[in-house]
Amino acid sequence: MTNVLLSAKNLSHHYGSQVGCIDINFDIYPGEVLGVVGESGSGKTTLLKNISGLLQPSSGSVKFDTRVDGLKDIYLLSEPERRLLMRTDWGIVFQNARDGLRMNVSAGANVGERLMAIGARNYGNIRNEATDWLQNVEIGLERIDHYPETFSGGMLQRLQIARNLVTKPRLVFMDEPTSGLDVSVQARLLDLIRGLVSQLGIACVIVSHDLGVMRLLSNRLIVMHQGRVVEQGLTDQVLDDPQHPYSQLLVSSILPV
Amino acid sequence: MTAISGDRKRSSRLKEKTLDGYNFAYLDDQTKRMIRRATLKAVAIPGYQVPFGSREMPLPFGWGTGGIQVTASIIGIDDTLKVIDQGADDTTNAVNIRRFFAKTAGVETTENTSDASIIQTRHRIPEVKLKSDQIIVYQVPIPEPLRWIEPREQETRKMHALTEYGVMHVGLYENIAHFGKVTTSYDYPVQVNDHYVMSPSPIPKFDNPKMDKMPALQLFGAGREKRIYAVPPYTKVKSLDFDDHPFEIESWSECCALCGSSSSFLDEVITDDKGSRMFVCSDSNFCAERRAKGHKGPGLPRKLEIKDIE
Ligand SMILES: [Zn+2]
């Protein structure tokens, strides 16, 4: 029995009188990919912010298996501890790659930054790691000194992934990582994410409205509606045999009869 | 920092020498006290940028108003002031600032580094080693070394507080990636006392090693950005670098054409419109003193003639 990596208990978030998410419970185990699906306004983005340290929930707890002290509430960590966690053991891939990249420094520097942030001080080693990671995400090495501004949407997203994975995090949060990209670009990116995640054994929380993305990437699925989890289970089970009326609606709406 | 006592001789000198209708050293006492408090805090937290209520000065921002306000707050009637701009005492800016304090504070001024108790500077640290009874005041245009990569003030403060300085090395990385070496030659970032990363103001990196464990107190004033910071005497100041690209200062294959010095920062000077040029000390006082002691350089190079080029 492996240890839980991240555990959300009785998590709720309110924006004033507006509901963000209500009474969410789940655990994530090492190497597992958890999908969170729902329409916009379903609370999935609030939930992602709550569990990734970006937004403290109104109530409930988020615990992470820290390397030193085991399971700790991330909002009870000191700020330096939490920030350290965010740039070592965690990665966050934003929907808009520009939010997760530094657009005014080269691709190589974008990848190397997290290494430098945790104390890497040998240029040659940083350069080598950046080279390896650009290869891993299928970005040509001739682009290593180019600025992200000159990259296509798909390349930006792959660069953002490389920037996050370079410190070999144990958990990566992804917010609609493929939305806004052309279908063919999406497919390539999904393949890449699936390959990297399984190869490195990284646990992932992926938020998306796209059931196709979930089918391909996630092991387990949470369906959210109006701030609540209405169904959760193995991805194939939920998609092939949805139990909750809302899940049924969601599945039927994307699968043409 | 000489205390102003009620000594009669001094007060008569004050009356006699300073401008009528103005406070001693121009600033009012309340402002000076506020700036001194900020300065003391800065000294207590080496390299930390202390916000202060920067005042309007009778010259525009960019002319050293931060340094002038710091100098005005610490100067006393017994101080001797030296002002450097571009390494020289005789540039317009240096002359004006020196005259400003001569008029408003009635203090002695000097061009001789060793005779000065306060040295206000832009662009250089004197070549002569400073002593523990001296204070050097730097004029700073951009105090925040993290600003180029992080525009949000709240975030840069957090980065300083938590010593999160990885991004400073991102800057050095970019330099090496694009040019094969670190090309930053002015305002080269330093880490003070193993904590705060600090902008040393636009001095050449040649001067960075002089800041390390300097016996003199170093004060930095940024007028437009309203920040004061400091390096107390004998404090560790380290220039950032990579293990495999260690920090290096500029070097020249020539020596000073006038005084023969091979250890000072040299400026290239064009001597006529025929392409003649020579290297001379940027620290004009240092060079003059060496010459006065009999040191000689190779002098003007042979003028280039057309046939040399053909
Ligand atoms: Zn010289």
Side-chain angles (χ1 to χ4, degrees), chain A:
Chain A
M1 180 80 196
T2 41
N3 287 333
V4 170
L5 188 61
L6 182 131
S7 175
K9 287 263 180 304
N10 308 322
L11 205 69
S12 295
H13 194 87
H14 303 274
Y15 303 97
S17 60
Q18 286 273 93
V19 170
C21 56
I22 308 167
D23 202 24
I24 312 286
N25 290 281
F26 61 82
D27 292 332
I28 299 166
Y29 290 88
E32 185 184 36
V33 179
L34 177 74
V36 180
V37 73
E39 300 163 285
S40 68
S42 63
K44 61 187 194 306
T45 301
T46 301
L47 175 62
L48 189 76
K49 285 183 179 164
N50 283 160
I51 62 173
S52 61
L54 297 176
L55 179 68
Q56 183 161 14
S58 312
S59 61
S61 70
V62 181
K63 290 181 178 170
F64 182 76
D65 180 29
T66 59
R67 287 181 198 235
V68 185
D69 296 321
L71 218 53
K72 295 272 272 188
D73 190 322
I74 60 166
Y75 290 102
L76 295 180
L77 293 174
S78 68
E79 191 173 22
E81 286 174 319
R82 189 162 59 247
R83 287 171 71 107
L84 183 68
L85 192 69
M86 289 172 90
R87 60 173 193 266
T88 53
D89 265 353
W90 287 6
I92 301 183
V93 174
F94 293 91
Q95 176 175 1
N96 183 351
R98 285 159 194 274
D99 294 339
L101 291 170
R102 291 196 191 278
M103 300 305 282
N104 58 346
V105 302
S106 68
N110 264 286
V111 177
E113 180 177 342
R114 271 167 75 112
L115 297 170
M116 295 181 244
I118 57 173
R121 292 293 178 263
N122 184 294
Y123 174 82
N125 294 347
I126 294 163
R127 186 84 176 166
N128 288 340
E129 286 262 7
T131 304
D132 287 349
W133 272 98
L134 289 181
Q135 263 165 343
N136 288 344
V137 298
E138 299 165 12
I139 292 176
L141 290 187
E142 74 282 1
R143 306 304 296 267
I144 189 168
D145 296 328
H146 292 188
Y147 294 98
E149 209 62 69
T150 63
F151 286 17
S152 67
M155 280 174 78
L156 284 178
Q157 207 53 294
R158 280 180 275 138
L159 181 61
Q160 194 190 185
I161 289 166
R163 172 178 163 89
N164 273 280
L165 297 192
V166 67
T167 52
K168 299 180 183 64
R170 291 190 291 155
L171 178 60
V172 175
F173 303 95
M174 297 191 187
D175 184 12
E176 305 271 12
T178 60
S179 80
L181 300 174
D182 293 341
V183 177
S184 63
V185 176
Q186 274 194 23
R188 184 178 172 199
L189 185 61
L190 287 172
D191 275 346
L192 182 84
I193 294 173
R194 189 165 63 158
L196 287 173
V197 164
S198 70
Q199 189 188 322
L200 299 166
I202 298 171
C204 252
V205 180
I206 299 183
V207 161
S208 179
H209 66 283
D210 186 337
L211 294 184
V213 169
M214 293 311 182
R215 173 85 80 178
L216 200 63
L217 293 181
S218 68
N219 310 121
R220 222 149 42 83
L221 196 60
I222 284 179
V223 182
M224 289 190 71
H225 182 53
Q226 295 179 345
R228 292 179 190 275
V229 172
V230 294
E231 183 161 354
Q232 60 174 313
L234 295 175
T235 301
D236 289 343
Q237 241 167 42
V238 174
L239 294 184
D240 294 341
D241 185 18
Q243 300 299 306
H244 190 274
Y246 178 76
S247 315
Q248 289 167 354
L249 192 71
L250 205 62
V251 169
S252 64
S253 70
I254 69 123
L255 298 173
V257 188

Side-chain angles (χ1 to χ4, degrees), chain B residues 128 138 209 276:
Chain B
V128 172
Y138 300 78
S276 303

Side-chain angles (χ1 to χ4, degrees), chain B residues 12 14 29 39 60 65 67 92 94-95 116 118 137 168 173 178 184 193 227 233-234 253 274 292 297 302 306-307:
Chain B
S12 68
L14 260 172
D29 285 349
T39 304
T65 53
T92 313
V95 170
I118 297 174
V137 178
M168 292 309 298
Y173 170 97
H178 291 297
T184 304
N193 203 25
R227 292 286 186 280
Y234 304 105
S253 50
K274 296 189 185 68
R302 182 173 64 96
I306 297 296
K307 66 175 165 45

